[in-house]
Amino acid sequence: EKAMQLSLFCASQDGKHRAPMHKWGGDTDAAYKSFMAFRCDWPQATTHQPCHSIVVQEGETHADRGIVQACQETGILRESYNLVACVQPVYEKVDHLEHSGILKLPQWIEYNAMHGVEQFLVYTMPGSDPRIFEIIDPYVKSGLVAQVHVEPAADLRPDDSSAQQLTANDCLYRMKHRA
């Protein structure tokens, strides 16, 4: 709640850019909304860079509150898509291998790509099955898939409902007005 009331800004380390920070989430007591997403308008000329060092400043005094290393998958930088698929962290339960999301992921991507999905955002997090990275690697290299790795503050597993909500909210915000 306190973070929503702060007047925060994003600035470049060289001081040439400063913009208000947009804040989303944290607006209810629901567990899946306890996470917040921060967004900074950044100069278009630097979008090709995979990482930026962003100085977080408070108020009009420009008081530095820390530096955030923000990295992005440059493959998702198109202005707009007709259809994007948000793929929440994929997991499997060893007692139900016939329903394995991991084993079905390649077929699911191929099927949906044939039916118009132009970009897949595949979410991973600590605890994600290492096979996911091998499965999505050729799709990432082709530009069809962008991997978004989240490091939640809470101790969440990929099969937790809060983790599913976190990634769904992130994807909606990330693709807002773009898909």
Side-chain angles (χ1 to χ4, degrees), residues 49-120:
Q49 297 172 358
C51 293
H52 300 276
S53 293
I54 299 170
V55 180
V56 177
Q57 297 178 336
E58 184 179 351
E60 296 305 320
T61 62
H62 300 233
D64 289 353
R65 296 296 179 217
I67 297 176
V68 175
Q69 186 74 5
C71 297
Q72 62 184 350
E73 173 62 54
T74 56
I76 62 172
L77 293 178
R78 278 185 30 195
E79 282 296 315
S80 66
Y81 298 93
N82 288 320
L83 187 58
V84 172
C86 304
V87 184
Q88 297 175 347
V90 180
Y91 62 93
E92 74 181 6
K93 299 208 183 263
V94 292
D95 52 339
H96 294 289
L97 287 179
E98 68 277 7
H99 301 297
S100 171
I102 293 170
L103 298 176
K104 293 181 178 181
L105 185 60
Q107 296 88 338
W108 186 86
I109 290 173
E110 293 290 341
Y111 175 84
N112 285 283
M114 289 188 314
H115 289 86
V117 175
E118 297 174 317
Q119 181 71 49
F120 294 84

